[in-house]
Amino acid sequence: MTAPLTHSHRTRAGRRRTCWGASRWTTSAAGLALAAGLGLAASACDADSNSAQTTSPAPPGADASVRGTITYRERIALTPDAVVTVQLRDTSYADAAAVLIAEQVIGSPGQVPIDFDLRYVSDEIDDRNVYSVSAVITEGDGRMAFTNDTAYDVITRGNPRRVDMTLVMVEPPPELAPEGWSPTDPDRVEAPVHATDVGMIWEGSTVSRSSGYLHVVFVTSSEDGCYRIGREEAVRSGSRFEVAVTAWVPAPVPWAQDCSERDLELDAIVHLGDGFISGETFEVVLNGERTFSFAAP
């Protein structure tokens, strides 16, 4: 049995415009080469603020809108030739094509978050139906760079008229893709947590009922998308326990989200077993490296 993790979260007020300038990268040779490969400079934010964003006209008779922002987590800058396409569709029927209600095309969008204002004709909306917005970012070389993999329902059935969409990467710039990389490669890998403290929790008033749990305190990044629960398991061999407490984290690719700041403390409680005999001593090896010893009470 594994007890649930205790979670805490710190919310961050306000919106932040992401600018992947040279200051965000390491000053090592590899880091500078990567920044150069992305076509970035220290003045990237200034260039973004002066970019000539263009947008398609609203349809005739448009009298309502869905607004929001578009962002993504990868550390990849958009080029001036990027195009964002936002669509509103009737997605009521799974076995029929989703009817296009409205579309906004944004040229030279700058860097994320990107604002959109999707205008539509309210008479085309049926309150009984389901409507969703989607977004695609296409780069100047023809790549579909980002799209949404989450449904964002809007307008009807109590859904909002404002949504903040987080897109997922479809294909990175070819010059950044490591040798052998494929779009089908997993975007997350399993990694051991960074433990800061371990201890025992005991339950039961008699030896025959004594249950032992390993309490593991660890730190991770509070950034959304940096941490997902992995394995929490223990295997006993005599007086030794091999314990794994892991997390699913972004894969180590050049554009991976920066999760290096460990500013969030969590804990895991792993069941070691029942019926411990008082005075017995045991050794615990956590994630193959940290050793902890304890004696049954």
Side-chain angles (χ1 to χ4, degrees):
M1 180 184 73
T2 302
L5 278 173
T6 301
H7 289 278
S8 61
H9 240 296
R10 185 182 66 191
T11 57
R12 296 169 184 260
R15 266 180 54 199
R16 178 180 61 190
R17 176 163 290 277
T18 303
C19 181
W20 299 122
S23 62
R24 290 300 303 269
W25 301 95
T26 174
T27 54
S28 66
L32 293 174
L34 179 56
L38 285 170
L40 300 176
S43 60
C45 287
D46 294 335
D48 172 56
S49 63
N50 295 326
S51 64
Q53 185 183 100
T54 62
T55 186
S56 56
D63 57 354
S65 68
V66 174
R67 299 178 180 179
T69 62
I70 297 166
T71 191
Y72 52 80
R73 298 190 180 100
E74 288 77 10
R75 294 185 293 173
I76 297 179
L78 297 177
T79 71
D81 296 325
V83 175
V84 179
T85 303
V86 188
Q87 294 184 334
L88 172 65
R89 289 182 178 270
D90 184 339
T91 54
S92 304
Y93 308 103
D95 57 350
V99 177
L100 179 65
I101 304 298
E103 178 179 272
Q104 181 184 13
V105 179
I106 305 170
S108 300
Q111 306 306 323
V112 294
I114 300 164
D115 296 316
F116 69 88
D117 185 0
L118 185 56
R119 304 281 295 171
Y120 64 91
V121 179
S122 58
D123 285 346
E124 296 183 11
I125 301 300
D126 186 332
D127 290 340
R128 299 169 298 178
N129 290 358
V130 177
Y131 298 88
S132 304
V133 291
S134 63
V136 171
I137 300 178
T138 306
E139 268 295 358
D141 57 5
R143 284 180 297 110
M144 180 189 289
F146 299 92
T147 190
N148 59 294
D149 65 350
T150 300
Y152 293 95
D153 295 339
V154 293
I155 305 173
T156 59
R157 302 191 178 190
N159 289 307
R161 294 176 186 266
R162 176 182 172 83
V163 290
D164 297 315
M165 294 190 283
T166 299
L167 309 188
V168 298
M169 189 186 71
V170 178
E171 186 176 351
E175 66 272 15
L176 290 185
E179 185 177 355
W181 181 86
S182 166
T184 60
D185 288 350
D187 60 355
R188 291 185 174 273
V189 297
E190 188 180 25
V193 299
H194 185 79
T196 57
D197 194 21
V198 292
M200 288 297 298
I201 298 174
W202 296 97
E203 286 187 351
S205 56
T206 66
V207 171
S208 61
R209 294 183 179 178
S210 181
S211 298
Y213 300 86
L214 186 70
H215 182 212
V216 181
V217 180
F218 61 95
V219 289
T220 185
S221 173
S222 64
E223 290 290 332
D224 186 30
C226 282
Y227 169 79
R228 292 181 187 170
I229 296 175
R231 288 181 298 135
E232 301 169 32
E233 59 187 31
V235 177
R236 178 176 176 176
S237 177
S239 61
R240 180 185 174 97
F241 287 94
E242 294 282 349
V243 177
V245 179
T246 67
W248 290 99
V249 299
V253 288
W255 53 84
Q257 179 182 4
D258 183 7
C259 298
S260 59
E261 185 178 2
R262 293 169 176 161
D263 57 349
L264 176 65
E265 186 176 88
L266 299 173
D267 64 350
I269 300 174
V270 184
H271 184 220
L272 297 185
D274 304 310
F276 285 93
I277 298 175
S278 180
E280 278 188 314
T281 59
F282 297 89
E283 180 184 59
V284 173
V285 179
L286 175 62
N287 291 332
E289 54 184 35
R290 180 161 183 163
T291 302
F292 169 73
S293 298
F294 70 90

